[in-house]
Amino acid sequence: MTTATTAETRSDKDRVVIFDTTLRDGEQCPGATMTHDEKLEVAELLDEMGVDIIEAGFPIASEGDFAAVQEIARRSKNAVICGLSRAAPKDIDRCAEAIRPATRKRIHTFLSTSPVHMKWKLQKEPHEVYEMVIAQVTRARSHTDDVEWSAEDGTRTEHDFLCRCVEAAINAGATTINIPDTVGYTTPEEYAALFRMVRERVPNADRAVFSVHCHDDLGMAVANSLAGVTGGARQVECTINGIGERAGNAALEEVVMAIRTRNDVLPFWTGIDATMLTRASKLVSAATSFPVQYNKAIVGRNAFAHESGIHQDGMLKNTQTYEIMTPESVGVKQTSLVMGKHSGRHAFQHKLEELGYKLASNQLEDAFVRFKALADRKKHIYDEDIEALVDEEIAHEHDRITLTSLTVIAGTRGPQSATLELDIDGRQQTVQATGNGPVDAIFNAIKALVPHEAVLELYQVHAVTEGTDAQAEVSVRLAQGDYSVTSRGADPDTLVASAKAYLGALNKLISKQSRNVGGNRRRIHSTDVG
């Protein structure tokens, strides 16, 4: 097992800058919306863990996006705060206004350069696009010395034109050049060669840092990102858990740990505190209600689990037989306390810290009350039970509509019925409804108290742990008009979990629509740069 580059052998030329776009590209993932407070919480953790640049949002997109970027800029302590803008002058100016409070700030502006994008998306000729590159970078540079320019769909751009645009952008003042694999089309060897070609052919290439931004449409986002670094790029654009448009982005945790673990063939280094990776993964998963797949590299539940007898035997003899990194290196603590109804606050807090959670005092008290209630209902409390409990608390902390009580009558003789009591903005309201099954009855009851036209796109149930008393975790996705949101609910009663999940999604939908009412939101098409 190899170790990361030591402080004595590190050099600036081998430093890989981590550009996190969880709050921008990650939130563009359908249904992965975050509230204002959740964005601030994620940004604070990214800043604390050593992310170099935080792309906080797309300020022109909505008043909500602008407000979040501005507040993150105001609160940031270490990271450069970046906003995204298209080539339009008003986009660039709005972005500059949003990031103004930051001590260190960057404008990231982009323009399509591939033949297919120029013809169908921009409907412009190459010479027009070339002039736009110069104009947009020049305008961005008038606001800040730190300007990043991206050639959208760079991996499908003709090489001669790409080099011309890159040279023009650097001459106009761009300090970072991003060549994104916008549609996840390239391969590692091809992407590395692309960066070598551009850096060799562009005369002023030494005046800019080159950046990679890869999507995972063919499952090669991380491999392509690392290949780009071997080709001379020194900034990686990535997201926590790899969330993002379509199949997602390169996962930050995978990029960081690949460099640390295989430093023999990837002789680079980052400033990320890897022990915070699991905590960041849990926070983003809870905030977006997007579960992390069990077999996800680095932060998945099974990443350090061994079931095969052969593997277990090897692990008992020496952990390096089947683990190329330690759980502790990514913030996964080994279980040392068995939790139950007799556990106190101190033990509960210690367990949360082991699992990677850092809660404020009021959040801790709420979580402890919920834990004790769960312990009265379940004989064994597993780590996964506590994770589900806390994740739900984080996700629904600011909900306007909450579940007070639920009674369901189900069986072979229908119709099934649900009696539901909700707290809606502090007022208790009750209704009884029937449906084609208990879940349908619950959702009909919710719709009776909170009329809406949202369509249920996803309803998914899985057990958090083993056993007949296991908590059920339900995922629900609701869509209405241009909006799509996802939420999760957990409870030992599957029907209660279903109601919680549906209400969580409904709260997100209402919040999203209320923030963007009155035409404040501009519908943005094809805005991702990667």
Side-chain angles (χ1 to χ4, degrees), residues 50-332:
V51 166
D52 299 286
I53 299 106
I54 299 173
E55 189 167 53
F58 197 171
I60 196 71
S62 71
E63 292 297 330
D65 254 33
F66 178 88
V69 173
Q70 192 172 61
E71 187 60 27
I72 290 169
R74 189 174 290 115
R75 295 187 181 198
S76 173
K77 296 177 181 177
N78 305 304
V80 174
I81 302 303
C82 175
L84 182 71
S85 73
R86 295 169 297 185
K90 62 181 179 181
D91 278 45
I92 295 169
D93 295 346
R94 186 66 166 160
C95 182
E97 186 182 354
I99 64 172
R100 186 171 293 125
T103 304
R104 302 166 64 204
K105 42 188 166 284
R106 172 182 294 188
I107 293 176
H108 181 192
T109 183
F110 68 97
L111 192 63
S112 296
T113 54
S114 69
V116 65
H117 274 222
M118 289 190 291
K119 179 179 179 180
W120 297 108
K121 177 184 168 184
L122 299 181
Q123 297 182 347
K124 292 186 180 296
E125 295 297 320
H127 72 273
E128 295 177 284
V129 172
Y130 178 81
E131 294 299 329
M132 289 174 68
V133 171
I134 298 171
Q136 70 180 134
V137 173
T138 300
R139 192 173 190 96
R141 188 59 189 259
S142 71
H143 293 292
T144 177
D145 292 338
D146 191 347
V147 174
E148 176 172 341
W149 179 75
S150 287
E152 185 177 10
D153 204 20
T155 54
R156 295 194 296 173
T157 297
E158 294 174 344
H159 287 186
D160 288 347
F161 186 63
L162 178 63
C163 289
R164 283 187 63 215
C165 289
V166 168
E167 182 179 1
I170 297 173
N171 280 336
T175 50
T176 301
I177 297 293
N178 182 37
I179 306 176
D181 187 26
T182 303
V183 292
Y185 177 74
T186 197
T187 63
E189 295 81 4
E190 190 177 57
Y191 202 43
L194 178 64
F195 280 93
R196 293 190 189 100
M197 181 276 298
V198 172
R199 293 175 63 243
E200 289 170 2
R201 288 182 51 180
V202 174
N204 54 7
D206 61 322
R207 287 161 44 191
V209 173
F210 282 81
S211 175
V212 299
H213 181 124
C214 299
H215 277 258
D216 209 32
D217 297 73
L218 293 176
M220 292 188 283
V222 172
N224 286 334
S225 297
L226 296 172
V229 171
T230 65
R234 286 298 179 268
Q235 175 177 286
V236 175
E237 304 191 5
C238 44
T239 63
I240 300 296
N241 295 336
I243 64 172
E245 289 273 18
R246 304 182 314 279
N249 290 52
L252 181 150
E253 60 276 4
E254 295 177 25
V255 170
V256 169
M257 292 310 295
I259 290 173
R260 282 173 57 93
T261 306
R262 291 307 312 275
N263 213 232
D264 54 333
V265 292
L266 296 167
F268 312 107
W269 61 282
T270 75
I272 298 296
D273 180 354
T275 63
M276 298 179 70
L277 291 174
T278 296
R279 182 174 150 199
S281 172
K282 292 180 187 300
L283 177 60
V284 170
S285 176
T288 59
S289 294
F290 266 46
V292 177
Q293 66 191 68
Y294 286 4
N295 62 328
K296 167 78 172 62
I298 314 300
V299 293
R301 184 181 296 177
N302 291 347
F304 297 97
H306 306 273
E307 185 170 336
S308 159
I310 295 174
H311 286 215
Q312 290 175 342
D313 178 67
M315 285 292 295
L316 290 170
K317 293 172 180 174
N318 190 309
T319 58
Q320 292 188 28
T321 55
Y322 287 103
E323 284 186 354
I324 59 173
M325 66 195 92
T326 65
E328 293 84 0
S329 68
V330 297
V332 176

Side-chain angles (χ1 to χ4, degrees), residues 12 89 143 210 237 245 277 305 310 337 352 374 385 427 470 483 488:
D12 288 341
H143 293 292
F210 282 81
E237 304 191 5
E245 289 273 18
L277 291 174
I310 295 174
L337 294 174
L352 290 179
L374 179 64
D385 289 314
R427 293 181 296 111
Y483 305 108
R488 288 183 290 173

Side-chain angles (χ1 to χ4, degrees), residues 396-402 422-427 503 507-508 510-511 514:
H396 303 302
E397 185 178 4
H398 302 287
D399 285 357
R400 291 171 52 192
I401 307 168
T402 57
L422 300 180
D423 183 311
I424 304 175
D425 291 328
R427 293 181 296 111
L503 288 171
N507 274 293
K508 284 189 175 184
I510 292 170
S511 175
S514 63

Side-chain angles (χ1 to χ4, degrees), residues 479-522:
Q480 184 170 345
D482 293 338
Y483 305 108
S484 177
V485 296
T486 306
S487 186
R488 288 183 290 173
D491 195 90
D493 188 318
T494 304
L495 298 178
V496 173
S498 301
K500 288 180 177 180
Y502 194 100
L503 288 171
L506 194 57
N507 274 293
K508 284 189 175 184
L509 198 59
I510 292 170
S511 175
K512 192 173 181 66
Q513 291 173 331
S514 63
R515 287 201 311 269
N516 299 312
V517 73
N520 284 329
R521 182 168 184 87
R522 301 168 190 261

